[in-house]
Amino acid sequence: MVPGLDLSEDDRNLLDGEGGEAARLAMRIVLALAGAVGAERLIDVTAAHVDGCLYQGQASLDFAERLAAGGARVSVPTTLNVGSLDLLHPERFRGALGLAAAGRRLMDLYAGMGCRPTWTCAPYQVAEARPRPGQHVAWAESNAIVFVNSVLAARTERYGDFIDVCAAITGRVPDAGLHRTENRRGQILFRLAGVPDRLLLNDLLYPVLGHVVGTRAGTGVPVIEGLPVDTPEDRLKALGATAASSGSVGMFHAVGVTPEAATLDAALHDSRPGGVVEVTPEVLLEARRSLCTARGDSLDAVSVGTPHFSLQEFERLLELLDGQRLRMPFYVSTGRDVLADVRSRGWTEALDRAGVTVVADTCTYVTPILEPEIGVVMTDSGKWAYYAPGNIGVEVILGSLEECVRSAVEGRVWRDPGLFADQ
């Protein structure tokens, strides 16, 4: 029991074991978190998204086995993040058989708790999983957290492995962090200065800007001024995912773009920012350079779809391919719900003819899918560029989707001339 914490009758019943041993354990963990963050009460959540289904070692499997043995069932609609395997194409896994078996077992355990097997890091692309503005949810996965807070204006704190499923089982979380209005106030202002329209309208700006924001905002809530008012969701997705990777951003405001930032004053809650960062073309160029570990024009593969590719991104990819044949491996990671839509539109034949490999249920930087001889990879994802060198030991080049496609067609790195003053 946490001193001073107001519990409901249902909370106490779970603690007393009336919901079973797994629910009792889950409530104890939620209460421990509440004590750690100084919450005075728990609140209901309407949904959850669980990241713990990705195998990270024996501890992750042991915890899920204990929950399953205790009769764990989620009490709110719960989606599942990427797992360790592409269950639709399991033959693509290139790791040890023991790792594959453990990853598959973990995925099965979470599905057996009543979670929906979406296997995507972008649950906001599943229509029925998108929460409404103001709804409280318990979402894990860094890019999903920042997206649901920033773009959808629903509310979640940064939930990690083990806490995520405990919230899903109990339907309760501490009233703390980004669930509370005062903690959603913008704290540091990023003002775009002198950025040309051509770059503002290019998708490469958004992961690069996200890297600037993440490295300088840390855990704060950044406010971005100067983005086009019609910036689409996929570009906001790319921005938030990179900011959450290079920093610990759980929410951002884009003035005139995101729901809680109709004006600068609204984003700042009528206060002054704690600091102002002028984002110039030079700052952006340096950020892009820092996300590129490879030099020259040698290239072995392309990997896009981190976070998972949307239907709109597949449509754009097909436009860029325009019937051309790729000269190197080209991987696209996506969720199975989006892939079903792609198939229903008859797009998979054109992707196959071009030489595109579609990966579902997982992502190429978290599980061994790329051929072992691949050394240099181009990506349009700031998150992939940030993590892949350490995770899978490749060298990375960051580019726009257009640059990725043209590079794969030409068999070498191609840069859009003039996009940055200094390539």
Side-chain angles (χ1 to χ4, degrees), residues 24-37:
R24 180 173 179 270
L25 174 62
M27 179 54 75
R28 288 173 58 199
I29 291 173
V30 169
L31 290 179
L33 176 62
V37 300

Side-chain angles (χ1 to χ4, degrees), residues 98-167:
L99 179 61
R104 178 61 185 262
R105 172 62 179 162
L106 187 62
M107 295 169 81
D108 289 343
L109 284 168
Y110 276 101
M113 295 179 201
C115 303
R116 179 176 171 184
T118 45
W119 313 125
T120 181
C121 61
Y124 42 84
Q125 292 173 356
V126 180
E128 57 270 31
R130 286 171 70 103
R132 297 188 301 275
Q135 279 190 312
H136 292 276
V137 297
W139 277 22
E141 161 58 39
S142 61
N143 99 82
I145 291 166
V146 70
F147 190 95
V148 76
N149 280 315
S150 310
V151 182
L152 300 185
R155 299 189 173 199
T156 185
E157 180 53 322
R158 304 170 184 87
Y159 294 110
D161 292 5
F162 303 170
I163 294 293
D164 49 11
V165 69
C166 290

Side-chain angles (χ1 to χ4, degrees), residues 85-406:
L85 297 174
D86 178 347
L87 298 180
L88 301 181
H89 315 94
E91 70 280 0
R92 292 179 181 159
F93 184 84
R94 303 188 183 283
L97 293 179
L99 179 61
R104 178 61 185 262
R105 172 62 179 162
L106 187 62
M107 295 169 81
D108 289 343
L109 284 168
Y110 276 101
M113 295 179 201
C115 303
R116 179 176 171 184
T118 45
W119 313 125
T120 181
C121 61
Y124 42 84
Q125 292 173 356
V126 180
E128 57 270 31
R130 286 171 70 103
R132 297 188 301 275
Q135 279 190 312
H136 292 276
V137 297
W139 277 22
E141 161 58 39
S142 61
N143 99 82
I145 291 166
V146 70
F147 190 95
V148 76
N149 280 315
S150 310
V151 182
L152 300 185
R155 299 189 173 199
T156 185
E157 180 53 322
R158 304 170 184 87
Y159 294 110
D161 292 5
F162 303 170
I163 294 293
D164 49 11
V165 69
C166 290
I169 291 168
T170 63
R172 302 280 275 171
V173 296
D175 182 18
L178 293 170
H179 288 288
R180 298 184 62 85
T181 299
E182 63 269 23
N183 295 330
R184 298 169 73 85
R185 177 181 66 83
Q187 297 167 321
I188 179 170
L189 176 62
F190 292 80
R191 180 181 290 128
L192 274 64
V195 179
D197 288 345
R198 187 163 183 264
L199 184 53
L200 279 173
L201 298 175
N202 190 284
D203 56 87
L204 181 57
L205 169 68
Y206 296 84
V208 172
L209 177 59
H211 189 52
V212 174
V213 169
T215 54
R216 303 201 186 191
T219 60
V221 178
V223 180
I224 304 165
E225 188 176 43
L227 292 181
V229 296
D230 58 350
T231 301
E233 279 193 2
D234 283 324
R235 290 179 174 176
L236 297 175
K237 171 184 77 173
L239 191 165
T242 313
S245 301
S246 60
S248 296
V249 173
M251 179 180 188
F252 70 87
H253 298 289
V255 178
V257 180
T258 54
E260 296 179 45
T263 64
L264 179 58
D265 284 342
L268 295 171
H269 292 195
D270 295 315
S271 63
R272 295 178 63 83
V276 178
V277 177
E278 296 290 322
V279 183
T280 64
E282 293 74 22
V283 169
L284 293 168
L285 177 59
E286 181 56 34
R288 195 202 66 179
R289 283 175 175 161
S290 73
L291 286 171
C292 296
T293 61
R295 299 293 181 265
D297 65 357
S298 177
L299 190 63
D300 299 317
V302 172
S303 180
V304 299
T306 306
H308 276 168
F309 239 37
S310 69
L311 189 65
Q312 293 74 25
E313 286 171 313
F314 271 109
E315 186 173 21
R316 174 64 174 152
L317 174 60
L318 286 168
E319 291 173 356
L320 291 169
L321 288 169
D322 192 27
Q324 300 174 97
R325 177 73 184 176
L326 302 168
R327 297 177 61 183
M328 63 182 58
F330 193 109
Y331 301 90
V332 181
S333 299
T334 193
R336 54 176 53 196
D337 287 78
V338 170
L339 181 55
D341 285 341
V342 169
R343 287 172 171 165
S344 71
R345 285 163 170 76
W347 293 351
T348 51
E349 291 182 5
L351 295 169
D352 290 342
R353 284 196 302 271
V356 173
T357 298
V358 178
V359 176
D361 299 343
T362 189
C363 185
T364 55
Y365 82 96
V366 298
T367 199
I369 289 179
L370 272 62
E371 297 282 356
E373 64 269 18
I374 289 174
V376 181
V377 183
M378 194 172 197
T379 183
D380 66 342
S381 164
K383 180 175 182 176
W384 204 96
Y386 189 81
Y387 285 124
N391 281 8
I392 59 174
V394 297
E395 298 296 319
V396 174
I397 298 170
L398 180 69
S400 66
L401 184 59
E402 180 183 7
E403 289 174 326
C404 287
V405 171
R406 185 155 173 180

